[in-house]
Amino acid sequence: MHDFSKFNIAIKGISVARMTSVKYLGVYIDEDMKWSEHIKHVYNCIKKLIGIFYKVRTRLLTACLKKLYFATVHPILQYGIELYANTHKTALHDLTVLNNKILRILQFKLNSSDTNELYDSYNTLDVSKLHVLKILNFVYKSFYDHNNLPSVFNNYFVTNCTVHEHNTRSQSYVHLDLINSNYGGRCVKFLGAQLWNYLPFDLRHTSSKFAFNKKTKIWLNSSDSGFYI
C-alpha cells in the first residue's frame, strides 16, 4: 500500500497542502472514507439543540414539538445520510444515542423508555433504518421516477433479465455486480441492489412514490423485515 503522506503536489510551483478531510456541498469527506468527520459534524450540530429543547418543551404543544423535531433535527440527520451512514454501526452509535435523547426530551420520556416507541410516536426511523430507506428510495426513483434523477444514473440499476436470458426466479431482481472487497459491498450501487432484492414483492411494485415510502417505513419498523446492514 502506498504511503500518500510522502506525495508532494505543486501547481505552478506552489505546493498544495495535504488535507485529511475536505468539505464538499456540506459533506465532510475524509481520506479514509470512514465518514467520521462528517458524523462528528452532524453530532455537534444536533447537540447544540438540546438546551433549546429543554427550555421550549414546556411552552409548546405536543404537535408543535413534533414539528420542531422535523424542522431542525431530522433535516440534519437526513442530509447526505446515503453516504455518511454507509459505515460501521459503531461509528453511528453516539449519533443514534443522541437522537434517542432528543426524542426523549421532546416526548417527556425517561431514559429507560423503549426506543421503538419513541420512533413510532413520531412516525420516523433511527439513523441506520433511515439510511436504508433513503437508499431504497433512490433505487425506486431509478426505476419509476428516473426523470427526476441526474442522467448519470440512467441504467444505474438493472434487472437480471437485461443481463442474461436465463429463466430463473430472480429475473426481476436487480443485478448484483461482483465485488472483491468490503468497500465494494458497501457502495450504494451494490447495497441498493441487495436491499431492493430483499424487499417483499408488493413493495417493489408499488406504483406511488408516497405509498412506497410509507409502506417501506412501516416494513422497516416491523419485526418481519429482519434486514440489518
Side-chain angles (χ1 to χ4, degrees):
M1 182 177 292
H2 296 293
D3 182 5
F4 291 104
S5 63
K6 296 180 180 179
F7 280 68
N8 293 313
I9 300 175
I11 299 177
K12 293 184 178 181
I14 301 175
S15 295
V16 178
R18 180 175 179 272
M19 306 293 290
T20 57
S21 67
V22 62
K23 185 179 181 181
Y24 182 70
L25 297 177
V27 176
Y28 289 88
I29 305 172
D30 58 89
E31 61 182 349
D32 296 321
M33 297 296 283
K34 293 182 178 178
W35 306 105
S36 55
E37 192 70 24
H38 187 76
I39 292 171
K40 183 170 67 176
H41 169 71
V42 174
Y43 180 91
N44 289 333
C45 287
I46 295 176
K47 187 178 180 180
K48 293 176 183 178
L49 299 170
I50 291 179
I52 298 174
F53 290 155
Y54 269 123
K55 291 179 181 178
V56 303
R57 68 174 183 166
T58 57
R59 300 170 185 266
L60 297 176
L61 298 173
T62 301
C64 291
L65 291 175
K66 183 176 180 179
K67 289 180 179 178
L68 184 63
Y69 174 81
F70 284 101
T72 55
V73 177
H74 201 252
I76 297 174
L77 284 176
Q78 278 206 118
Y79 186 75
I81 197 169
E82 299 94 330
L83 297 175
Y84 82 76
N86 199 9
T87 184
H88 298 291
K89 276 193 173 182
T90 52
L92 297 171
H93 176 265
D94 290 348
L95 183 59
T96 300
V97 171
L98 178 62
N99 193 37
N100 293 345
K101 181 176 182 177
I102 293 289
L103 290 173
R104 287 192 174 98
I105 293 171
L106 295 176
Q107 297 179 37
F108 295 87
K109 298 291 185 179
L110 299 174
N111 290 335
S112 57
S113 59
D114 181 33
T115 55
N116 290 327
E117 292 181 2
L118 296 174
Y119 289 95
D120 287 343
S121 178
Y122 272 24
N123 189 28
T124 188
L125 302 168
D126 63 29
V127 177
S128 293
K129 290 179 180 178
L130 190 60
H131 170 229
V132 172
L133 181 64
K134 292 286 283 187
I135 290 180
L136 285 172
N137 273 315
F138 174 54
V139 183
Y140 182 90
K141 281 185 179 180
S142 73
F143 283 122
Y144 300 104
D145 194 27
H146 61 269
N147 290 330
N148 288 320
L149 284 175
S151 59
V152 69
F153 293 115
N154 287 348
N155 300 317
Y156 195 66
F157 298 101
V158 295
T159 56
N160 284 330
C161 63
T162 63
V163 178
H164 60 72
E165 297 180 352
H166 304 305
N167 188 17
T168 64
R169 288 182 298 176
S170 62
Q171 270 191 316
S172 63
Y173 286 0
V174 177
H175 180 69
L176 282 168
D177 292 326
L178 294 176
I179 57 171
N180 55 16
S181 68
N182 290 332
Y183 284 105
R186 301 197 69 83
C187 73
V188 172
K189 186 173 184 179
F190 182 86
L191 187 59
Q194 190 178 35
L195 287 167
W196 185 262
N197 292 342
Y198 195 82
L199 279 177
F201 178 87
D202 63 312
L203 286 180
R204 284 187 276 120
H205 294 82
T206 303
S207 58
S208 164
K209 182 169 62 175
F210 175 81
F212 174 81
N213 188 73
K214 181 180 179 180
K215 290 179 180 179
T216 304
K217 188 186 295 183
I218 294 172
W219 179 76
L220 285 170
N221 264 337
S222 72
S223 58
D224 297 331
S225 65
F227 192 93
Y228 299 94
I229 63 172

